[in-house]
Amino acid sequence: MGKSKKMKKKKVFIEYSFVLPAVIFMVIFMIYPIWYNIEMSFKDVDLKNFLDSSQQTFVGLQNFKNIFSDKYFWNSLNNTWVFVIFSMVFQFVIGFGFALFFNKKFPGNKWMRAILLIAWMNPAIITGAVFKWLMAGDVGIFNYLLMHFGLIHKPINFLADTNTALGSVIFGNIWVGIPFNMIILLSGLQSIDEELYESAVTDGAGKFARFRYITWPLLMPTILVLFLLGFIYTFKVFDIIYAMTSGGPANSSQILPYYSYELSFKMFKFGEGAAASCVSFVIIAILSVIYVYFSKKEEVA
C-alpha cells in the first residue's frame, strides 16, 4: 500500500515537472507584465521615478480620466476600429478566395501557395518599410503606375496626406494578413469530408447550394477562431504603422497601441500609457469572452 502511494506521488511529481517550465514561462513573460501594467496604470509614473517604486504615487483612476479627456485618445480609438474592420474584412474576403482556389488540385498548387506565404513570414517592420517605398510621393511605384496609365496627373503623397495615410497603412496590413487567412481557411476546407459533396451532387445540389449548406456551416467554427485571432492581431498592430507613418501626419493614422507607445516612450507618461494599454486589454478580453460564449453555443447546437 505504501509503495503504491509513493508510486502515485512520483507520477504526480513527474507530471507537474513537465508542466512547470510552461507555468514559469507564462508567469514571467505573460502574467507578471500584465499585472505590472495594470498596477502602473493606477500610479503617477514618469522618467524620474520609473525605477523607484517607492516614489510612485497612487493616483487611482486619474490616468484613465486623463486619457478619456484627451481628444487624441478618441481619435486613436476611432482610427483603431476603422483599421481593424477594414483590414479584417478584406483579409478575410481575399484570403477566402485564395483558399477556395488552392483547395482545388492543379499543377503548381503547392509552390504558388508557398510564395503567397512569404508575405506573412516576413517581419511586419520590413513589410512596412517596403510599402513606405512603394507609396512614396516622388519615387514610389504606385504613383508611377497610376500616372503611367493616366489615372492621376500628379503624384499623391499617400503617407503624408491626412486623407490617405490611414487607408495606406490599412492597405499594407491587408497584404500582410491575406496569407494567414488563406492558410487557416484552407485547412478548414480540407477538413470537410468529400463524401458530403459527392452525396450532395448525387441529390442534384448545385455549387451555390453545396457552399451554403455544406461548406459555410462546417467552416463556421474555423471562421470564428480566425476572426478572434485576426481581431487580436490587428488590434495590437504597431510595427507596420511605425515603419510607414509613425502615426502621422497629424495623428491621422495613429491607432491605440501607437497612442500608448507615444505616451510611454515619447512623452514619458508611463502611467497614462499603461492606462491606454489596459483599455486595449479590456476590449480584447471582452471580445474573447463573447467568442467563447458563441463557440460553446455552436457546440451545443
Side-chain angles (χ1 to χ4, degrees):
M1 191 74 178
K3 189 177 180 181
S4 177
K5 284 184 178 180
K6 285 182 179 180
M7 289 292 291
K8 285 182 179 179
K9 287 182 179 180
K10 187 177 180 181
K11 185 179 178 182
V12 170
F13 175 77
I14 292 172
E15 289 173 351
Y16 277 108
S17 65
F18 279 108
V19 178
L20 188 61
V23 173
I24 293 172
F25 178 87
M26 288 182 64
V27 170
I28 295 175
F29 295 102
M30 295 178 67
I31 297 174
Y32 175 71
I34 291 172
W35 170 254
Y36 185 72
N37 185 82
I38 294 171
E39 183 184 10
M40 190 185 296
S41 68
F42 294 103
K43 293 181 177 181
D44 181 18
V45 185
D46 55 25
L47 200 59
K48 295 178 182 178
N49 60 15
F50 182 75
L51 297 176
D52 188 0
S53 58
S54 63
Q55 298 296 320
Q56 298 171 3
T57 309
F58 180 81
V59 294
L61 297 174
Q62 188 59 48
N63 288 324
F64 291 93
K65 291 178 181 178
N66 290 343
I67 64 170
F68 289 151
S69 62
D70 184 6
K71 66 177 182 179
Y72 295 113
F73 167 79
W74 296 107
N75 172 69
S76 65
L77 187 60
N78 179 63
N79 287 343
T80 302
W81 289 118
V82 173
F83 181 83
V84 169
I85 291 169
F86 277 90
S87 292
M88 288 183 62
V89 168
F90 282 97
Q91 285 173 355
F92 175 78
V93 172
I94 300 172
F96 198 9
F98 276 118
L100 291 170
F101 176 72
F102 285 114
N103 195 40
K104 302 179 183 296
K105 294 180 180 179
F106 59 88
N109 182 309
K110 291 183 179 180
W111 65 263
M112 287 176 67
R113 198 190 316 169
I115 290 173
L116 282 174
L117 282 174
I118 293 174
W120 181 54
M121 292 166 61
N122 277 335
I125 195 76
I126 294 176
T127 301
V130 170
F131 270 91
K132 185 176 182 178
W133 173 66
L134 292 173
M135 294 183 171
D138 46 1
V139 295
I141 292 177
F142 283 9
N143 272 309
Y144 171 79
L145 292 174
L146 291 172
M147 292 181 69
H148 179 75
F149 290 107
L151 298 175
I152 59 174
H153 299 292
K154 61 179 182 178
I156 300 172
N157 292 318
F158 290 104
L159 303 178
D161 190 333
T162 55
N163 296 315
T164 56
L166 183 60
S168 299
V169 294
I170 289 173
F171 185 85
N173 192 61
I174 289 170
W175 190 82
V176 171
I178 287 172
F180 176 75
N181 281 255
M182 177 197 73
I183 205 70
I184 297 296
L185 291 168
L186 181 60
S187 64
L189 287 171
Q190 292 179 341
S191 67
I192 300 174
D193 193 345
E194 285 292 330
E195 292 183 0
L196 294 173
Y197 291 110
E198 293 171 3
S199 300
V201 171
T202 304
D203 293 336
K207 289 184 178 180
F208 179 76
R210 294 199 299 272
F211 178 82
R212 181 182 177 184
Y213 295 107
I214 298 176
T215 305
W216 188 257
L218 293 178
L219 203 60
M220 187 54 66
T222 303
I223 292 173
L224 287 173
V225 173
L226 179 61
F227 272 119
L228 175 66
L229 294 175
F231 180 87
I232 293 172
Y233 292 156
T234 310
F235 200 91
K236 67 182 183 66
V237 164
F238 170 83
D239 35 19
I240 196 166
I241 291 178
Y242 179 82
M244 290 181 69
T245 63
S246 296
N251 303 105
S252 60
S253 62
Q254 184 187 65
I255 66 172
L256 206 51
Y258 200 86
Y259 172 77
S260 175
Y261 161 78
E262 286 198 325
L263 283 174
S264 298
F265 300 105
K266 287 190 176 181
M267 303 178 188
F268 303 113
K269 297 179 180 179
F270 297 107
E272 292 182 17
S277 295
C278 284
V279 173
S280 299
F281 178 76
V282 169
I283 292 172
I284 292 173
I286 290 172
L287 188 87
S288 300
V289 170
I290 294 172
Y291 161 75
V292 171
Y293 169 78
F294 280 107
S295 63
K296 285 185 177 180
K297 197 173 181 182
E298 188 81 18
E299 288 176 5
V300 172

